[in-house]
Amino acid sequence: MSPAREDTAPSVLLAHHLKQLKLPTVLREYDKVARECAQSGLDHSRYLLRLVELELIDRERRLVERRIRAARFPAVKSLDTFDFAAIPSLNKMLVLELARCGYILGRENVIALGNSGTGKTHVALALGLAACQKGFSVAFTTAASLVNQLLEARDERRLLRLQRELAAVKLLIVDELGYVPLSSTGAELLFEVFSQRYERGSTVVTSNLPFEDWTSVLGSERLTGALLDRLTHHVSILSLNGDSYRLRASRSRRGRTDGGAEPNQAIAATYNPETGEIPPI
């Protein structure tokens, strides 16, 4: 065997073995880290430690990315892009505490109530992102979409499977409850989802309606009472009342057209699957 082949054979075999072991970060970084450790005079155990740490960090990043994709967020937003000053009714300290995800461990719920456009969805998305980063499975949907999924699953005889999937997720986010009135069948199916998750998993619900008006959406005082009984047994309630973000944004655009200054607005932080960048909590 020629010297050239003797030199290349170990590298080829190492690359093959690392791929088989599913250690892509070690494969990508081992040569560079070896040179760095040699220059720093670090021994082989510290070299191996550094490689393993890089692999673990990268693996956790990929897991978070997968949880974010599985959640099907319409956008990825974090709390540091939320303008708390614009919504003085919102308990900032409570929201920050919820972002630590203790309520998920306790299988408790969160309900965000407030006018349209005040940031309820932003807060729900931020809590969902925090849960993904903490290692919890998350599913995001609107109330209307969820009901449509349940009705379709019932018609296609896969309702039990969908219900099991919804019951298994650690955090279910149901956005915009109250924007669309539900049929009696749809309301009953939605109630069943909440009932199956009662004290088994956490649910975040956002609504533009106060509790006393939920009957107009669910169509039954009895069903509304039973649903609220389950949702509010272990719950943190967030109040978001104030001017709509979209209304203020429209005003600010008009102001800029007139030569006004750029306002300090909450900006959506977007997850980039190409770079793996994830907005901070």
PDB file of all heavy atoms in Angstrom, residues 3-19 26-27 30-31:
ATOM      1  N   PRO A   3       2.152   5.184   0.598  1.00  0.00           N
ATOM      2  CA  PRO A   3       2.016   6.078   1.758  1.00  0.00           C
ATOM      3  C   PRO A   3       0.767   6.936   1.683  1.00  0.00           C
ATOM      4  O   PRO A   3       0.119   7.229   2.699  1.00  0.00           O
ATOM      5  CB  PRO A   3       3.301   6.904   1.711  1.00  0.00           C
ATOM      6  CG  PRO A   3       4.273   6.043   0.981  1.00  0.00           C
ATOM      7  CD  PRO A   3       3.494   5.285  -0.030  1.00  0.00           C
ATOM      8  N   ALA A   4       0.408   7.377   0.468  1.00  0.00           N
ATOM      9  CA  ALA A   4      -0.765   8.245   0.319  1.00  0.00           C
ATOM     10  C   ALA A   4      -2.029   7.515   0.751  1.00  0.00           C
ATOM     11  O   ALA A   4      -2.888   8.057   1.449  1.00  0.00           O
ATOM     12  CB  ALA A   4      -0.892   8.716  -1.131  1.00  0.00           C
ATOM     13  N   ARG A   5      -2.137   6.211   0.330  1.00  0.00           N
ATOM     14  CA  ARG A   5      -3.323   5.441   0.704  1.00  0.00           C
ATOM     15  C   ARG A   5      -3.347   5.153   2.205  1.00  0.00           C
ATOM     16  O   ARG A   5      -4.397   5.137   2.834  1.00  0.00           O
ATOM     17  CB  ARG A   5      -3.371   4.137  -0.087  1.00  0.00           C
ATOM     18  CG  ARG A   5      -3.679   4.346  -1.573  1.00  0.00           C
ATOM     19  CD  ARG A   5      -3.950   3.012  -2.256  1.00  0.00           C
ATOM     20  NE  ARG A   5      -5.161   2.415  -1.698  1.00  0.00           N
ATOM     21  CZ  ARG A   5      -5.592   1.187  -2.042  1.00  0.00           C
ATOM     22  NH1 ARG A   5      -4.869   0.452  -2.874  1.00  0.00           N
ATOM     23  NH2 ARG A   5      -6.691   0.702  -1.512  1.00  0.00           N
ATOM     24  N   GLU A   6      -2.186   4.929   2.794  1.00  0.00           N
ATOM     25  CA  GLU A   6      -2.122   4.695   4.238  1.00  0.00           C
ATOM     26  C   GLU A   6      -2.585   5.917   5.015  1.00  0.00           C
ATOM     27  O   GLU A   6      -3.212   5.806   6.071  1.00  0.00           O
ATOM     28  CB  GLU A   6      -0.693   4.326   4.646  1.00  0.00           C
ATOM     29  CG  GLU A   6      -0.280   2.940   4.182  1.00  0.00           C
ATOM     30  CD  GLU A   6       1.142   2.618   4.581  1.00  0.00           C
ATOM     31  OE1 GLU A   6       1.802   3.531   5.124  1.00  0.00           O
ATOM     32  OE2 GLU A   6       1.589   1.483   4.358  1.00  0.00           O
ATOM     33  N   ASP A   7      -2.290   7.120   4.479  1.00  0.00           N
ATOM     34  CA  ASP A   7      -2.682   8.354   5.158  1.00  0.00           C
ATOM     35  C   ASP A   7      -4.184   8.607   5.030  1.00  0.00           C
ATOM     36  O   ASP A   7      -4.817   9.130   5.947  1.00  0.00           O
ATOM     37  CB  ASP A   7      -1.901   9.545   4.591  1.00  0.00           C
ATOM     38  CG  ASP A   7      -0.420   9.479   4.961  1.00  0.00           C
ATOM     39  OD1 ASP A   7      -0.107   8.773   5.942  1.00  0.00           O
ATOM     40  OD2 ASP A   7       0.397  10.113   4.266  1.00  0.00           O
ATOM     41  N   THR A   8      -4.733   8.276   3.855  1.00  0.00           N
ATOM     42  CA  THR A   8      -6.139   8.607   3.620  1.00  0.00           C
ATOM     43  C   THR A   8      -7.090   7.558   4.171  1.00  0.00           C
ATOM     44  O   THR A   8      -8.225   7.882   4.528  1.00  0.00           O
ATOM     45  CB  THR A   8      -6.400   8.785   2.114  1.00  0.00           C
ATOM     46  OG1 THR A   8      -6.021   7.574   1.433  1.00  0.00           O
ATOM     47  CG2 THR A   8      -5.596   9.943   1.552  1.00  0.00           C
ATOM     48  N   ALA A   9      -6.665   6.309   4.257  1.00  0.00           N
ATOM     49  CA  ALA A   9      -7.577   5.247   4.702  1.00  0.00           C
ATOM     50  C   ALA A   9      -8.179   5.514   6.076  1.00  0.00           C
ATOM     51  O   ALA A   9      -9.405   5.352   6.247  1.00  0.00           O
ATOM     52  CB  ALA A   9      -6.854   3.909   4.684  1.00  0.00           C
ATOM     53  N   PRO A  10      -7.413   5.918   7.106  1.00  0.00           N
ATOM     54  CA  PRO A  10      -8.025   6.186   8.416  1.00  0.00           C
ATOM     55  C   PRO A  10      -9.067   7.298   8.353  1.00  0.00           C
ATOM     56  O   PRO A  10     -10.113   7.204   9.027  1.00  0.00           O
ATOM     57  CB  PRO A  10      -6.837   6.596   9.282  1.00  0.00           C
ATOM     58  CG  PRO A  10      -5.659   5.964   8.630  1.00  0.00           C
ATOM     59  CD  PRO A  10      -5.946   6.012   7.173  1.00  0.00           C
ATOM     60  N   SER A  11      -8.819   8.339   7.563  1.00  0.00           N
ATOM     61  CA  SER A  11      -9.778   9.443   7.456  1.00  0.00           C
ATOM     62  C   SER A  11     -11.078   8.976   6.820  1.00  0.00           C
ATOM     63  O   SER A  11     -12.173   9.355   7.254  1.00  0.00           O
ATOM     64  CB  SER A  11      -9.176  10.582   6.625  1.00  0.00           C
ATOM     65  OG  SER A  11      -8.035  11.109   7.258  1.00  0.00           O
ATOM     66  N   VAL A  12     -10.955   8.136   5.789  1.00  0.00           N
ATOM     67  CA  VAL A  12     -12.148   7.625   5.124  1.00  0.00           C
ATOM     68  C   VAL A  12     -12.958   6.745   6.067  1.00  0.00           C
ATOM     69  O   VAL A  12     -14.182   6.851   6.170  1.00  0.00           O
ATOM     70  CB  VAL A  12     -11.761   6.851   3.845  1.00  0.00           C
ATOM     71  CG1 VAL A  12     -12.990   6.158   3.255  1.00  0.00           C
ATOM     72  CG2 VAL A  12     -11.130   7.786   2.825  1.00  0.00           C
ATOM     73  N   LEU A  13     -12.248   5.855   6.762  1.00  0.00           N
ATOM     74  CA  LEU A  13     -12.932   4.969   7.705  1.00  0.00           C
ATOM     75  C   LEU A  13     -13.566   5.754   8.854  1.00  0.00           C
ATOM     76  O   LEU A  13     -14.682   5.457   9.291  1.00  0.00           O
ATOM     77  CB  LEU A  13     -11.943   3.946   8.269  1.00  0.00           C
ATOM     78  CG  LEU A  13     -11.551   2.803   7.323  1.00  0.00           C
ATOM     79  CD1 LEU A  13     -10.439   1.973   7.942  1.00  0.00           C
ATOM     80  CD2 LEU A  13     -12.766   1.922   7.034  1.00  0.00           C
ATOM     81  N   LEU A  14     -12.857   6.760   9.349  1.00  0.00           N
ATOM     82  CA  LEU A  14     -13.395   7.571  10.445  1.00  0.00           C
ATOM     83  C   LEU A  14     -14.669   8.293  10.001  1.00  0.00           C
ATOM     84  O   LEU A  14     -15.665   8.328  10.739  1.00  0.00           O
ATOM     85  CB  LEU A  14     -12.343   8.585  10.908  1.00  0.00           C
ATOM     86  CG  LEU A  14     -12.768   9.510  12.059  1.00  0.00           C
ATOM     87  CD1 LEU A  14     -13.174   8.700  13.289  1.00  0.00           C
ATOM     88  CD2 LEU A  14     -11.641  10.482  12.402  1.00  0.00           C
ATOM     89  N   ALA A  15     -14.632   8.865   8.799  1.00  0.00           N
ATOM     90  CA  ALA A  15     -15.816   9.547   8.280  1.00  0.00           C
ATOM     91  C   ALA A  15     -16.982   8.572   8.162  1.00  0.00           C
ATOM     92  O   ALA A  15     -18.129   8.895   8.530  1.00  0.00           O
ATOM     93  CB  ALA A  15     -15.509  10.176   6.929  1.00  0.00           C
ATOM     94  N   HIS A  16     -16.691   7.368   7.687  1.00  0.00           N
ATOM     95  CA  HIS A  16     -17.743   6.356   7.555  1.00  0.00           C
ATOM     96  C   HIS A  16     -18.329   5.991   8.918  1.00  0.00           C
ATOM     97  O   HIS A  16     -19.553   5.935   9.091  1.00  0.00           O
ATOM     98  CB  HIS A  16     -17.167   5.105   6.880  1.00  0.00           C
ATOM     99  CG  HIS A  16     -18.113   3.941   6.878  1.00  0.00           C
ATOM    100  ND1 HIS A  16     -19.193   3.864   6.038  1.00  0.00           N
ATOM    101  CD2 HIS A  16     -18.151   2.811   7.652  1.00  0.00           C
ATOM    102  CE1 HIS A  16     -19.856   2.743   6.267  1.00  0.00           C
ATOM    103  NE2 HIS A  16     -19.240   2.085   7.238  1.00  0.00           N
ATOM    104  N   HIS A  17     -17.461   5.741   9.891  1.00  0.00           N
ATOM    105  CA  HIS A  17     -17.930   5.341  11.214  1.00  0.00           C
ATOM    106  C   HIS A  17     -18.734   6.455  11.894  1.00  0.00           C
ATOM    107  O   HIS A  17     -19.753   6.190  12.544  1.00  0.00           O
ATOM    108  CB  HIS A  17     -16.748   4.954  12.101  1.00  0.00           C
ATOM    109  CG  HIS A  17     -16.022   3.734  11.632  1.00  0.00           C
ATOM    110  ND1 HIS A  17     -16.625   2.726  10.904  1.00  0.00           N
ATOM    111  CD2 HIS A  17     -14.723   3.340  11.792  1.00  0.00           C
ATOM    112  CE1 HIS A  17     -15.761   1.778  10.631  1.00  0.00           C
ATOM    113  NE2 HIS A  17     -14.585   2.126  11.168  1.00  0.00           N
ATOM    114  N   LEU A  18     -18.286   7.702  11.752  1.00  0.00           N
ATOM    115  CA  LEU A  18     -18.995   8.823  12.378  1.00  0.00           C
ATOM    116  C   LEU A  18     -20.373   9.019  11.750  1.00  0.00           C
ATOM    117  O   LEU A  18     -21.333   9.381  12.439  1.00  0.00           O
ATOM    118  CB  LEU A  18     -18.168  10.100  12.272  1.00  0.00           C
ATOM    119  CG  LEU A  18     -16.907  10.140  13.146  1.00  0.00           C
ATOM    120  CD1 LEU A  18     -16.074  11.371  12.834  1.00  0.00           C
ATOM    121  CD2 LEU A  18     -17.271  10.106  14.628  1.00  0.00           C
ATOM    122  N   LYS A  19     -20.483   8.771  10.444  1.00  0.00           N
ATOM    123  CA  LYS A  19     -21.790   8.845   9.792  1.00  0.00           C
ATOM    124  C   LYS A  19     -22.700   7.731  10.308  1.00  0.00           C
ATOM    125  O   LYS A  19     -23.895   7.951  10.553  1.00  0.00           O
ATOM    126  CB  LYS A  19     -21.630   8.749   8.286  1.00  0.00           C
ATOM    127  CG  LYS A  19     -21.040  10.005   7.649  1.00  0.00           C
ATOM    128  CD  LYS A  19     -20.841   9.831   6.148  1.00  0.00           C
ATOM    129  CE  LYS A  19     -20.209  11.074   5.531  1.00  0.00           C
ATOM    130  NZ  LYS A  19     -19.948  10.899   4.076  1.00  0.00           N
ATOM    131  N   VAL A  26     -19.163  15.970  15.134  1.00  0.00           N
ATOM    132  CA  VAL A  26     -17.812  15.441  15.337  1.00  0.00           C
ATOM    133  C   VAL A  26     -17.117  15.281  13.995  1.00  0.00           C
ATOM    134  O   VAL A  26     -15.941  15.647  13.834  1.00  0.00           O
ATOM    135  CB  VAL A  26     -17.857  14.093  16.083  1.00  0.00           C
ATOM    136  CG1 VAL A  26     -16.464  13.456  16.131  1.00  0.00           C
ATOM    137  CG2 VAL A  26     -18.386  14.287  17.497  1.00  0.00           C
ATOM    138  N   LEU A  27     -17.833  14.760  12.990  1.00  0.00           N
ATOM    139  CA  LEU A  27     -17.261  14.590  11.655  1.00  0.00           C
ATOM    140  C   LEU A  27     -16.825  15.933  11.069  1.00  0.00           C
ATOM    141  O   LEU A  27     -15.758  16.038  10.464  1.00  0.00           O
ATOM    142  CB  LEU A  27     -18.291  13.921  10.738  1.00  0.00           C
ATOM    143  CG  LEU A  27     -17.912  13.783   9.264  1.00  0.00           C
ATOM    144  CD1 LEU A  27     -16.646  12.954   9.110  1.00  0.00           C
ATOM    145  CD2 LEU A  27     -19.070  13.166   8.474  1.00  0.00           C
ATOM    146  N   TYR A  30     -13.858  17.604  13.932  1.00  0.00           N
ATOM    147  CA  TYR A  30     -12.760  16.926  14.642  1.00  0.00           C
ATOM    148  C   TYR A  30     -11.375  17.393  14.192  1.00  0.00           C
ATOM    149  O   TYR A  30     -10.469  17.541  15.017  1.00  0.00           O
ATOM    150  CB  TYR A  30     -12.883  15.402  14.516  1.00  0.00           C
ATOM    151  CG  TYR A  30     -12.432  14.808  13.208  1.00  0.00           C
ATOM    152  CD1 TYR A  30     -11.104  14.428  13.007  1.00  0.00           C
ATOM    153  CD2 TYR A  30     -13.342  14.603  12.171  1.00  0.00           C
ATOM    154  CE1 TYR A  30     -10.691  13.862  11.810  1.00  0.00           C
ATOM    155  CE2 TYR A  30     -12.938  14.048  10.975  1.00  0.00           C
ATOM    156  CZ  TYR A  30     -11.613  13.680  10.793  1.00  0.00           C
ATOM    157  OH  TYR A  30     -11.213  13.138   9.602  1.00  0.00           O
ATOM    158  N   ASP A  31     -11.198  17.664  12.911  1.00  0.00           N
ATOM    159  CA  ASP A  31      -9.877  18.072  12.427  1.00  0.00           C
ATOM    160  C   ASP A  31      -9.519  19.477  12.919  1.00  0.00           C
ATOM    161  O   ASP A  31      -8.407  19.722  13.402  1.00  0.00           O
ATOM    162  CB  ASP A  31      -9.852  18.016  10.898  1.00  0.00           C
ATOM    163  CG  ASP A  31      -8.440  18.162  10.351  1.00  0.00           C
ATOM    164  OD1 ASP A  31      -7.529  17.476  10.851  1.00  0.00           O
ATOM    165  OD2 ASP A  31      -8.252  18.978   9.429  1.00  0.00           O
TER     166      ASP A  31
END
